[in-house]
Structure formats: structure tokens, C-alpha cells
Amino acid sequence: MLLILTDGDHVLLALRDSTGYADGQWNLPSGKLEIGEDAISALVREAAEEIGVHLDQDEARMVATVHHRNSAGAARVGLVFAAPHDPARHGEPVNNEPHKCAKIEWFPADMLPSHTYPYTAACVAAWRDGTPLRLSGWR
């Protein structure tokens, strides 16, 4: 599950740090399903765990599916959800995982940092152009 949290034309990204994978690159708040967990519950849980944002089960909408293959050849399928940030309802985003994340920051959706993880860049691009299924890293 990947979350595109928006504030106007900006999206929230997190700078990976000390994870051993893609450190120094910006990515979307995201995570994997736990055993027995549905996709919406996972998204809500990950948003709270990673950035302290409290989403309701019905407010994020699925905007894309991205099938990404990294440079080592490992592939995954990501369900991409988007939600507009409402500070009064959700709270202010915070870096809840400083052991894995150096910082969080808002960026214009059309001007992501050059060191954005390709999977994240593909998710944001799919959301922006309305592509329901995007391949990333396959060519």
C-alpha cells in the first residue's frame, strides 16, 4: 500500500535512512500487509505508524496499481491510494519512524526531487495522469 497524501498540488514524501534499502531516496508513506489484514486497514495503519496521520477507512481512494521491478530484478505490485490532507481531521504529519526516515517533506507533485525512488515516482506519475496500471522498471 502506498499513500499519496496531498496538500493542494504538493505530495508528502519521506527520506529513507538506515534501512539498508534505497537509503537517501525519497518515497511515499507505504508498507506491506500484515497477515489477515485488508488493503484499506493496512493503509490506515501505515499512515498512522509512519507519519502520524489518522485516516478514516473510507476517505482514501485507490488511484493506481504499479507493478515495479527494482534494479536487482525483484518485483512487487503496489496499490496506490490518494487522500487530501485535512489537518483538523488527520493531524499534522510527523516523522514517526526516525530510525528509518531522516525527515518528511512536501514537494510539488510535478517537481519531485531528483533522488526520488523510481517506484514512488511511478506511483505519483500514474496518479497525476490517471493511469490505472503502470509498469515501472521493466524496460
Side-chain angles (χ1 to χ4, degrees):
M1 283 6 81
L2 300 107
L3 174 62
I4 298 175
L5 188 66
T6 62
D7 184 6
D9 64 349
H10 286 64
V11 297
L12 186 73
L13 299 180
L15 184 61
R16 296 181 63 90
D17 187 45
S18 303
T19 67
Y21 185 78
D23 291 334
Q25 296 186 49
W26 291 95
N27 71 323
L28 292 167
S30 59
K32 298 175 184 151
L33 292 171
E34 293 183 351
I35 294 172
E37 187 175 42
D38 66 80
I40 301 298
S41 296
L43 181 75
V44 168
R45 175 184 52 77
E46 289 289 351
E49 286 176 4
E50 291 189 9
I51 56 172
V53 169
H54 302 285
L55 297 173
D56 289 335
Q57 291 266 336
D58 62 350
E59 65 185 307
R61 64 183 177 85
M62 189 170 162
V63 295
T65 300
V66 175
H67 190 190
H68 176 74
R69 183 170 63 177
N70 68 21
S71 59
R76 68 176 44 175
V77 175
L79 304 178
V80 185
F81 294 84
H85 180 238
D86 179 349
R89 269 199 345 263
H90 303 137
E92 288 297 333
V94 295
N95 180 5
N96 267 352
E97 296 185 326
H99 58 287
K100 296 195 240 182
C101 175
K103 61 183 173 177
I104 61 173
E105 194 170 325
W106 294 99
F107 292 94
D110 63 350
M111 293 177 40
L112 300 180
S114 62
H115 52 291
T116 298
Y117 188 62
Y119 190 18
T120 285
C123 292
V124 172
W127 164 69
R128 288 186 69 232
D129 64 20
T131 304
L133 174 63
R134 179 172 297 253
L135 299 178
S136 169
W138 290 93
R139 295 181 191 157

